[in-house]
Amino acid sequence: MYRSHNCGELRIADVNKEVTLAGWVQKSRDKGFMIWVDLRDRYGITQLIFDEARTDAQVMQLAKSLGREYVIQVKGTVIERESKNNNIPTGDIEVLVKELTILNEAQLPPFTIEDETDGGEDIRMKYRYLDIRRNPVKNSLLFRHKVTQEVRNYLSNLDFCEIETPYLIKSTPEGARDFVVPSRMNPGQFYALPQSPQTFKQLLMVAGMDRYFQIVKCFRDEDLRADRQPEFTQIDCEMSFIEQEDILNVFEGLTRHLLKKFHNIDIDKFPRMTYDEAMRTYGNDKPDIRFGMKFGELNAVAQHKDFAVFNNAELVVGIAVPGAASFTRKEIDALIDWVKRPQVGASGMVYVKCETGGHYKSSVDKFYDQEDLAKWAEITGAKEGDLILILCGPANKTRTQLSALRMELGNRLGLRKPDEFAPLWVVDFPLLEWDEETGRYHAMHHPFTSPKREDIHLLDTDPGKVRANAYDLVLNGNEIGGGSIRIHDKATQELMFKHLGFTPEQAQQQFGFLMNAFQYGAPPHGGLAFGLDRLVAILAGQETIRDFIAFPKNNSGRDVMIDAPAPIDQAQLDELNLAITLKD
Ligand code: ASP
């Protein structure tokens, strides 16, 4: 038996027990006649004491050779500590060691294995197994496990059945770029790794499984933006014989359960907002509604004077920043520079200070009088002491810019409180989205999403106006999930592919299997997927997902620990019938 107890469980009630412990040496203090060692495992830290007067001389000698991260086993007696440590649960006791076995020596770790480490991101990732020994990372993984467990139980109790779908599937042109895998047995042919189990879960509905879920890896070969992973985990779900309302209720229930379980927060009905409203009010389809600063559209009250910049703009729109009238000229200039950075791309910014006594002071006083400015304050909801910031230009672009500014100010002013949770359903997404690059429409969600029946007639005349039965769940400004009611008949699916620019042959070749299945009795169905990595991070009050993934990739999509991706042998290439020519 390696151990009778773990390193986190001994208490004062265990005094006088003979115990065996095993773990890692966190640190040791050698006072000559006495040596203390902090022994660590996943469960905690227990102090060991080696005492010349009570410990055998040979054991004493061996204890002096212990280095950090040595793996050891000790046998000894639990005794009460003289100076107690209230910071750890085992702080009342220590183990007086009688026998010591070194199970494995360790090299000096490249960074300190403590809560606050001196190791930078790169070195921690290279030695991730050492990083995981640290409490913050270990606890994040344990937390993830708990969330996953709750999700499994919650959904299983509602008759959802977890079913695995294949990882080696077929590449399709829709959506993001696929990771592909060459097939040795089928020369010149490739599998793709799934971007999501979308078509399989729909086929499971056709198969009559009624309620499916899977906690599943998905793969997308996209250029990595900060905090994106090429492989990530989804809680993927699908249900039959349901309407949008049923799906929203089930997953609102799941989210409510998680918020209650992990934060003891009761949230009643989640608010809902249409996509159009979210874009108009927050310039964003995943608004953080923990704070205000709603957009106020000012065209009607700002385009009647000689200020050409506003007059020529498609949209003039502003936000009221609470308490910011006290910003100095320098601070405001810095904000103007901030919105002009290429990442945001505004050409300038107008401001109005709402000073005490109902007086307004603006950067466009030349053009607008107090009465005008009072109207702007009314529309943006600005009160005395607030600062109105106004951008203008093409509508969509300007909304995106103002949204970036709103989020930045939300962060700077501490309005995005990590312990506050504000879920929101965004519904009625557009079905299609115009893509400048390819000069055609793309499915905004995916091509299996059903259009709203009342909008189908617009497909031929005004495709961008067609709304979909699609919804996202947003939490604190992050999209944590999204899904849709699906098309379940062949004719509508064919029509959809036609509008996405597929010829009937292409549609048949790519998705014939699905459309054929629809001819064999497909039930009405729909579903959604939650991004597990982000959900867990947000529930833990954090925004970076990397610490919640045991072995994440870096920003270049590399695993720096195992050094992947990497070239493969010529023999392997030959076997796969692949010849590689690198372009420079
Ligand atoms: N498959 C979709 C996604 O990965 C989710 C869904 O529609 O259920 O975003």
Side-chain angles (χ1 to χ4, degrees):
M1 187 181 62
Y2 268 111
R3 55 184 174 189
S4 59
H5 296 80
N6 64 46
C7 294
E9 65 180 322
L10 293 172
R11 300 286 184 275
I12 197 81
D14 297 305
V15 165
N16 293 330
K17 275 190 190 155
E18 299 297 314
V19 297
T20 309
L21 299 183
W24 286 261
V25 174
Q26 168 98 12
K27 62 175 175 228
S28 71
R29 271 156 297 146
D30 186 350
K31 284 261 157 23
F33 57 97
M34 262 198 220
I35 302 166
W36 287 274
V37 169
D38 281 354
L39 188 68
R40 167 179 26 83
D41 68 6
R42 187 184 119 185
Y43 307 94
I45 285 181
T46 299
Q47 178 165 292
L48 311 177
I49 175 166
F50 300 79
D51 175 5
E52 215 171 52
R54 293 176 284 177
T55 306
D56 180 85
Q58 249 179 336
V59 174
M60 214 56 204
Q61 204 49 41
L62 193 57
K64 285 184 188 292
S65 72
L66 294 178
R68 262 160 59 190
E69 302 305 316
Y70 273 44
V71 186
I72 62 171
Q73 182 192 42
V74 294
K75 287 189 202 306
T77 317
V78 182
I79 58 172
E80 185 170 358
R81 272 209 221 183
E82 267 175 35
S83 55
K84 304 207 160 47
N85 177 353
N86 292 329
N87 297 325
I88 55 172
T90 62
D92 288 346
I93 56 95
E94 57 194 352
V95 173
L96 174 65
V97 179
K98 292 189 187 134
E99 288 175 39
L100 165 65
T101 313
I102 295 180
L103 299 172
N104 218 338
E105 297 182 355
Q107 285 188 34
L108 195 66
F111 51 88
T112 51
I113 300 184
E114 285 174 20
D115 291 7
E116 296 291 334
T117 177
D118 54 356
E121 178 89 4
D122 286 352
I123 194 91
R124 292 202 289 115
M125 289 304 153
K126 188 164 160 58
Y127 297 92
R128 184 64 161 171
Y129 45 89
L130 297 181
D131 199 26
I132 295 174
R133 288 187 195 162
R134 297 170 53 240
N135 283 321
V137 187
K138 176 192 75 187
N139 290 338
S140 297
L141 295 181
L142 291 171
F143 181 69
R144 180 186 178 115
H145 165 73
K146 280 194 201 139
V147 174
T148 310
Q149 218 44 12
E150 283 302 317
V151 169
R152 281 215 160 86
N153 288 342
Y154 189 91
L155 292 175
S156 303
N157 286 337
L158 290 177
D159 283 339
F160 283 83
C161 171
E162 185 162 15
I163 303 175
E164 288 165 83
T165 51
Y167 277 166
L168 296 175
I169 64 166
K170 188 163 81 167
S171 188
T172 61
E174 273 300 310
R177 212 175 288 114
D178 286 324
F179 280 103
V180 293
V181 180
S183 164
R184 179 183 56 81
M185 288 191 289
N186 303 275
Q189 297 192 357
F190 296 80
Y191 300 102
L193 300 179
Q195 296 183 28
S196 88
Q198 185 60 37
T199 49
F200 289 97
K201 66 174 172 175
Q202 291 191 240
L203 292 170
L204 286 169
M205 296 304 103
V206 181
M209 288 309 294
D210 199 63
R211 288 181 165 205
Y212 141 98
F213 86 102
Q214 186 180 189
I215 296 185
V216 61
K217 272 289 175 72
C218 300
F219 306 86
R220 294 183 192 172
D221 186 7
E222 291 172 300
D223 292 335
L224 296 178
R225 280 189 258 139
D227 215 30
R228 280 264 184 105
Q229 290 282 319
E231 53 177 301
F232 57 96
T233 307
Q234 281 193 344
I235 307 166
D236 192 48
C237 307
E238 198 75 6
M239 303 167 80
S240 291
F241 301 112
I242 42 80
E243 289 167 353
Q244 174 165 316
E245 201 56 35
D246 301 300
I247 299 202
L248 300 196
N249 283 335
V250 169
F251 293 96
E252 186 165 317
L254 170 63
T255 312
R256 193 180 290 121
H257 173 74
L258 295 174
L259 289 170
K260 176 77 189 166
K261 172 90 194 170
F262 294 109
H263 291 283
N264 200 23
I265 290 178
D266 291 292
I267 298 185
D268 202 24
K269 200 97 193 99
F270 292 6
R272 295 185 189 178
M273 195 180 283
T274 64
Y275 170 87
D276 280 343
E277 196 186 340
M279 294 309 285
R280 261 189 291 107
T281 334
Y282 296 98
N284 196 320
D285 61 5
K286 43 181 190 317
D288 188 341
I289 56 166
R290 280 175 297 181
F291 63 103
M293 286 197 238
K294 291 186 186 173
F295 288 15
E297 296 190 2
L298 302 173
N299 290 38
V301 290
Q303 292 185 321
H304 60 299
K305 293 280 171 74
D306 290 336
F307 188 46
V309 180
F310 278 1
N311 293 347
N312 298 333
E314 186 186 354
L315 178 70
V316 183
V317 58
I319 50 173
V321 188
S326 58
F327 278 18
T328 60
R329 185 60 216 242
K330 215 167 133 201
E331 284 173 305
I332 294 176
D333 282 346
L335 275 180
I336 295 176
D337 288 343
W338 191 88
V339 295
K340 282 169 136 181
R341 296 176 323 145
Q343 295 94 316
V344 183
S347 47
M349 182 162 70
V350 166
Y351 69 84
V352 184
K353 285 184 169 186
C354 307
E355 297 178 330
T356 39
H359 185 265
Y360 300 99
K361 169 136 193 29
S362 82
S363 55
V364 285
D365 279 349
K366 251 203 307 200
F367 301 100
Y368 299 97
D369 55 28
Q370 291 289 307
E371 212 174 300
D372 291 323
L373 301 180
K375 283 191 191 136
W376 300 6
E378 192 190 321
I379 292 174
T380 55
K383 297 186 203 54
E384 248 179 53
D386 293 355
L387 175 71
I388 309 173
L389 297 176
I390 301 159
L391 299 180
C392 69
N396 292 341
K397 250 198 195 143
T398 307
R399 288 194 175 109
T400 307
Q401 293 163 352
L402 192 62
S403 167
L405 178 65
R406 176 180 173 271
M407 291 297 270
E408 174 69 15
L409 286 163
N411 282 329
R412 286 196 201 177
L413 300 175
L415 303 173
R416 305 187 67 203
K417 302 203 177 81
D419 55 346
E420 230 176 81
F421 292 90
L424 168 76
W425 285 109
V426 177
V427 298
D428 296 357
F429 274 81
L431 183 71
L432 303 166
E433 163 176 62
W434 181 254
D435 184 55
E436 289 292 345
E437 227 168 83
T438 51
R440 65 180 182 91
Y441 279 104
H442 281 258
M444 190 155 189
H445 188 53
H446 52 53
F448 317 107
T449 295
S450 61
K452 285 203 179 291
R453 196 170 295 145
E454 62 269 31
D455 289 358
I456 291 188
H457 69 278
L458 293 169
L459 265 175
D460 286 316
T461 50
D462 198 354
K465 279 260 144 53
V466 179
R467 290 166 306 161
N469 295 308
Y471 34 79
D472 274 359
L473 183 60
V474 175
L475 185 57
N476 296 359
N478 296 281
E479 179 203 325
I480 60 162
S484 62
I485 299 297
R486 326 298 184 190
I487 295 166
H488 66 278
D489 67 285
K490 188 170 186 242
T492 312
Q493 191 64 70
E494 276 174 340
L495 183 70
M496 185 67 190
F497 283 129
K498 186 183 118 198
H499 284 280
L500 291 172
F502 287 62
T503 64
E505 294 72 33
Q506 284 166 335
Q508 189 56 38
Q509 197 212 347
Q510 295 291 339
F511 295 109
F513 65 93
L514 186 68
M515 290 191 287
N516 288 344
F518 285 171
Q519 290 177 297
Y520 290 96
H525 62 284
L528 103 183
F530 276 7
L532 179 68
D533 310 292
R534 174 135 298 116
L535 175 66
V536 171
I538 296 173
L539 284 175
Q542 295 184 25
E543 291 211 345
T544 41
I545 62 175
R546 209 170 288 173
D547 278 348
F548 296 86
I549 299 173
F551 299 105
K553 306 257 186 301
N554 74 6
N555 277 347
S556 323
R558 297 197 70 85
D559 182 324
V560 293
M561 183 180 68
I562 59 171
D563 199 15
I568 56 173
D569 287 350
Q570 189 58 47
Q572 258 179 308
L573 286 172
D574 291 344
E575 203 171 42
L576 293 167
N577 283 285
L578 292 179
I580 301 236
T581 321
L582 289 180
K583 283 194 238 154
D584 43 28

